[in-house]
Amino acid sequence: MLIGGPSSTGGVNRGPFLPDVAVVGAGPVGLAIAWRCAQRGLRVVVHDPTPGSGASHVAAGMLSPVAEAYFGEHELTGLLAESAARWPAFAAELAEAAGTDVGYRTDGTLVVGLTADDLAEARRLWAYQQGLGLPITPLRPSALRDREPALAPRVRGGAVAPGDHQVDPRRLVAALRVAAERAGVALRPAPVARLSDVDARVTVVAAGCGAAALTGLPVRPVKGQVLRLRAPGRGAPGFRHVIRGYADGESIYLVPRYSGEVVVGATVEERADTEVTAGAVLRLLRAAVDLVPELAEYDLVEASAGLRPGTPDNAPIIGPLPGRPGVLAATGHHRHGIVLTPVTADLVTELIVTGEPDPLLAPFTPARFVPEEERKWN
Amino acid sequence: MLIGGPSSTGGVNRGPFLPDVAVVGAGPVGLAIAWRCAQRGLRVVVHDPTPGSGASHVAAGMLSPVAEAYFGEHELTGLLAESAARWPAFAAELAEAAGTDVGYRTDGTLVVGLTADDLAEARRLWAYQQGLGLPITPLRPSALRDREPALAPRVRGGAVAPGDHQVDPRRLVAALRVAAERAGVALRPAPVARLSDVDARVTVVAAGCGAAALTGLPVRPVKGQVLRLRAPGRGAPGFRHVIRGYADGESIYLVPRYSGEVVVGATVEERADTEVTAGAVLRLLRAAVDLVPELAEYDLVEASAGLRPGTPDNAPIIGPLPGRPGVLAATGHHRHGIVLTPVTADLVTELIVTGEPDPLLAPFTPARFVPEEERKWN
């Protein structure tokens, strides 16, 4: 057990009330780790002045191990698939624990191309994904339209990834807060400026972009701008699949919720501000309306921007921090924080409880970004 | 004097504290009337639960007697010109009285066409406006670009209306509130459901779209959607003229403020809701960026919708209400409420003080919408 004996036998200087685990950051990853640790009988504190205000607040909540399987990211693809496989049970257990629905929805994802060029671009990726044995199936145009009549007649073609699902990230955070608190987790609203200010046997840095300042890890903000539309009359949207599309070279997604909300995203910008720009809104709306014309009649209810925690290899950073005994990282989830929440929480909790990292974590160790000479304490 | 003697000699049933004038509606028109009346020594009360929350909150504030001179609206064009001519002195007096600037700006207006078709459409209107002797002058493309280098190279041509100015409607309302209150006007935040609830010698209905329910006049809501952008770094926008443009058949305007704000408007929709729709935002942004490409880099800080008080002939309704002694209307200003504020306030105040309508008001009398048989009390 990484943290030693039960906390009630803690060191003389720290007294019996030292938490077993302090989590810095109350996004989905941090809250899920806290919840899982509390389920294992650990005493857990979560530090965050504004829970759920990071990347998850803007995220669409696509659970897309297939459509997000990109060239050269083989190990990440494996982790996405592993976590997506855990989502049904995770969603059910969380809904039960929190007494609230998290919007988990299994209608599947369509990947479509507007023009011939867009379709060619999409096909290159399907071929790669099919080569990995992932479940994605090209559809004839008539079959595509049978599935989603709301697609524009111009849309040239597409494929279906039936296992790529969705969840509502804002509901997810709300449910995780309830579940964690019911399991005994304490939420502390003060910001954490330095890890030395945190008093616990194990500290988990799940602070998204904030992890860089706390740990020195190479986590950088990657700005994303996102719109939220609402179907007129507060009915459900006129389509049920998540639609990922290429439209005149623009890559966008449309995520329909039962509530009538449609999330349209997202830009990927190497910037650290959170301003919403006219050009980004124009590009997102143009592509959205080109793919699904009825969206022009929808209300535009929110335009927002968030910062994803990006890493040099686009993969998350999960595991012990070299040279910092008792400190774990669970950050750098970039565009995959929602889908990776269950597996991250499970593996970090196991690591804390057993002291042994799961082999699944090996490619994602913080050590890959720490020079040898700085690892002496590890 | 329409209202009889000084209020201190008021009727026995009403007591000495009966106001001389009650204005229903604290938009620019209502507040300016109240201010002008108070300057003439009248006791004035303005009723509005949410001052400045109507059409003016969304309005761009163009003072465009020339660019807004449309076919078949000859009498309205005359009133626009008369009011625009009063604006410089009105703005100066108001700024002095309120101790605050109203954003009155005299850089002039460019009217431009993006494509050859757009330019042909614009030229038809210039020819009409020039035929009326109004100051609008076509520019060679090089002269257009010398004036506004920010215009897209694609813009085919344009004209300048140097006398078409602008003001900031939100600053205008704020200044009018201060000036009116300093002049002794009382603001009452309760809504007015019926005119019989209003106790005053003269009641002025300046309630915008709300005038229909209060008076039966044919004032209908005409929805307009508007965006507010902000230049990056909070500098001034990269252009100084008001730009009115036709872009692929879309008619839009861009109003730059010293603060960095650019107002982009506006849709004209026969609807009574105030939802912001994806399609409208897309059309406005596309036309704006087509005309002035740098706007793509601006922040989108607000998207909003308001309801203009439209009338069957697009002209305002100003004057005594037939069959309703002591009730005046000052409504139906449609897209022209800001430019018409000074002349409306001056003429309504004169009418109240002298009992004689100015001949300028004749075309705008409420009587034009009231059948003969209902005018018996007039």
Side-chain angles (χ1 to χ4, degrees):
Chain A
M1 189 158 172
L2 187 66
I3 59 165
S7 61
S8 55
T9 65
V12 288
N13 291 330
R14 298 198 152 171
F17 299 113
L18 181 70
D20 298 312
V21 179
V23 179
V24 183
V29 168
L31 288 170
I33 290 169
W35 178 45
R36 287 300 195 210
C37 284
Q39 288 178 315
R40 301 293 278 269
L42 300 176
R43 202 149 61 182
V44 186
V45 172
V46 178
H47 299 266
D48 197 327
T50 52
S53 66
S56 71
H57 188 69
V58 177
M62 288 177 294
L63 310 174
S64 295
V66 179
E68 291 272 340
Y70 294 120
F71 305 106
E73 297 181 355
H74 192 75
E75 283 158 336
L76 174 59
T77 298
L79 194 68
L80 294 174
E82 175 61 35
S83 199
R86 297 180 189 215
W87 251 103
F90 180 82
E93 183 184 351
L94 179 58
E96 173 76 20
T100 174
D101 176 58
V102 297
Y104 180 62
R105 191 168 165 179
T106 60
D107 297 79
T109 294
L110 297 181
V111 183
V112 304
L114 183 67
T115 67
D117 283 355
D118 292 324
L119 191 56
E121 174 77 13
R123 280 186 174 137
R124 276 185 66 232
L125 195 54
W126 305 337
Y128 169 74
Q129 291 158 349
Q130 290 183 299
L132 295 179
L134 297 174
I136 185 163
T137 308
L139 297 173
R140 280 175 299 115
S142 61
L144 187 64
R145 258 165 216 95
D146 285 348
R147 281 177 178 264
E148 286 300 2
L151 283 168
R154 287 178 61 199
V155 170
R156 287 292 289 267
V160 60
D164 279 14
H165 300 156
Q166 61 145 307
V167 68
D168 184 332
R170 294 180 184 176
R171 286 170 179 254
L172 171 64
V173 168
L176 281 168
R177 282 185 70 168
V178 172
E181 292 191 298
R182 286 184 178 176
V185 172
L187 278 168
R188 301 267 166 80
V192 172
R194 285 172 303 276
L195 290 185
S196 57
D197 296 344
V198 178
D199 215 16
R201 290 156 178 271
V202 173
T203 298
V204 181
V205 181
C209 293
L214 291 170
T215 63
L217 286 168
V219 178
R220 72 182 194 287
V222 180
K223 177 177 173 179
Q225 299 190 50
V226 173
L227 309 177
R228 281 176 163 76
L229 312 185
R230 189 179 55 204
R234 296 172 181 271
F239 57 103
R240 63 190 181 85
H241 294 80
V242 170
I243 296 175
R244 305 175 65 111
Y246 299 82
D248 284 321
E250 200 74 44
S251 171
I252 69 154
Y253 55 75
L254 310 169
V255 181
R257 312 249 198 249
Y258 292 124
S259 65
E261 179 179 86
V262 174
V263 183
V264 180
T267 66
V268 179
E269 305 168 65
E270 293 288 342
R271 301 174 58 105
D273 68 273
T274 54
E275 304 294 345
V276 173
T277 64
V281 174
L282 171 59
R283 285 164 45 206
L284 292 172
L285 285 177
R286 181 154 45 197
V289 170
D290 280 349
L291 292 174
V292 178
E294 72 174 48
L295 290 176
E297 307 303 320
Y298 283 40
D299 300 338
L300 174 63
V301 294
E302 185 182 316
S304 49
L307 300 175
R308 310 173 186 90
T311 64
D313 57 7
N314 291 337
I317 303 174
I318 309 171
L321 205 61
R324 303 285 290 271
V327 178
L328 305 181
T331 184
H333 289 72
H334 197 209
R335 296 178 297 114
H336 306 115
I338 306 299
V339 62
L340 290 177
T341 289
V343 81
T344 303
D346 291 346
L347 298 183
V348 169
T349 301
E350 278 306 306
L351 175 57
I352 290 171
V353 171
T354 67
E356 292 297 324
D358 189 289
L360 269 175
L361 283 180
F364 308 106
T365 173
R368 73 193 195 275
F369 297 122
V370 179
E372 286 289 346
E373 63 272 20
E374 294 179 21
R375 300 185 200 174
K376 56 184 182 295
W377 290 354
N378 200 31
Chain B
M1 187 159 172
L2 188 65
I3 60 164
S7 61
S8 55
T9 64
V12 287
N13 291 330
R14 299 196 150 173
F17 298 114
L18 181 71
D20 298 312
V21 179
V23 179
V24 182
V29 168
L31 288 169
I33 290 169
W35 178 44
R36 287 302 195 210
C37 285
Q39 288 179 315
R40 300 293 279 270
L42 300 176
R43 204 150 59 183
V44 186
V45 172
V46 178
H47 299 266
D48 197 326
T50 53
S53 66
S56 71
H57 188 70
V58 177
M62 288 177 295
L63 309 173
S64 294
V66 178
E68 290 272 340
Y70 293 120
F71 304 106
E73 297 181 355
H74 193 75
E75 283 157 336
L76 174 60
T77 298
L79 194 68
L80 294 174
E82 174 62 34
S83 199
R86 296 179 189 216
W87 252 102
F90 180 82
E93 183 185 350
L94 178 58
E96 173 76 19
T100 173
D101 177 56
V102 297
Y104 180 63
R105 192 168 164 180
T106 60
D107 297 79
T109 294
L110 298 181
V111 183
V112 305
L114 183 66
T115 68
D117 283 354
D118 292 325
L119 191 56
E121 174 77 12
R123 279 185 175 137
R124 274 185 67 233
L125 195 54
W126 305 337
Y128 169 74
Q129 291 157 349
Q130 290 183 299
L132 295 177
L134 297 173
I136 185 162
T137 308
L139 297 172
R140 281 175 298 114
S142 61
L144 187 65
R145 261 168 211 90
D146 286 349
R147 280 177 178 264
E148 285 301 2
L151 283 168
R154 287 177 62 200
V155 171
R156 287 291 289 268
V160 60
D164 279 13
H165 300 156
Q166 62 144 303
V167 68
D168 184 332
R170 294 180 183 177
R171 287 171 178 255
L172 171 64
V173 167
L176 281 169
R177 283 185 70 168
V178 172
E181 293 192 296
R182 286 184 178 176
V185 172
L187 278 169
R188 301 266 167 80
V192 173
R194 285 172 302 276
L195 290 185
S196 56
D197 296 344
V198 178
D199 214 15
R201 290 156 177 273
V202 173
T203 298
V204 180
V205 181
C209 293
L214 292 170
T215 63
L217 286 168
V219 178
R220 72 181 193 287
V222 180
K223 179 178 174 179
Q225 299 190 51
V226 173
L227 308 177
R228 282 177 161 75
L229 311 186
R230 190 178 56 204
R234 295 173 181 271
F239 57 103
R240 62 188 181 85
H241 294 79
V242 170
I243 296 175
R244 305 175 66 111
Y246 298 82
D248 284 321
E250 200 74 45
S251 171
I252 69 153
Y253 56 74
L254 310 169
V255 180
R257 313 249 197 249
Y258 292 123
S259 65
E261 179 178 87
V262 174
V263 183
V264 180
T267 64
V268 178
E269 304 167 66
E270 295 288 342
R271 299 174 58 106
D273 68 274
T274 54
E275 303 295 344
V276 173
T277 64
V281 174
L282 172 58
R283 285 163 45 204
L284 292 171
L285 285 177
R286 180 154 47 196
V289 169
D290 280 349
L291 292 174
V292 178
E294 72 174 48
L295 291 176
E297 307 303 320
Y298 284 40
D299 300 337
L300 174 62
V301 294
E302 185 183 316
S304 48
L307 300 175
R308 311 172 185 91
T311 63
D313 56 8
N314 291 337
I317 303 174
I318 310 172
L321 204 60
R324 303 286 290 267
V327 177
L328 305 181
T331 184
H333 289 72
H334 198 207
R335 295 178 297 115
H336 306 116
I338 306 300
V339 61
L340 291 177
T341 289
V343 80
T344 303
D346 291 347
L347 298 183
V348 168
T349 301
E350 278 306 305
L351 175 58
I352 290 171
V353 171
T354 67
E356 292 297 322
D358 189 292
L360 269 175
L361 284 180
F364 308 106
T365 174
R368 73 193 195 274
F369 297 121
V370 180
E372 285 290 344
E373 63 274 18
E374 293 179 21
R375 298 185 200 173
K376 56 184 184 292
W377 291 355
N378 200 34

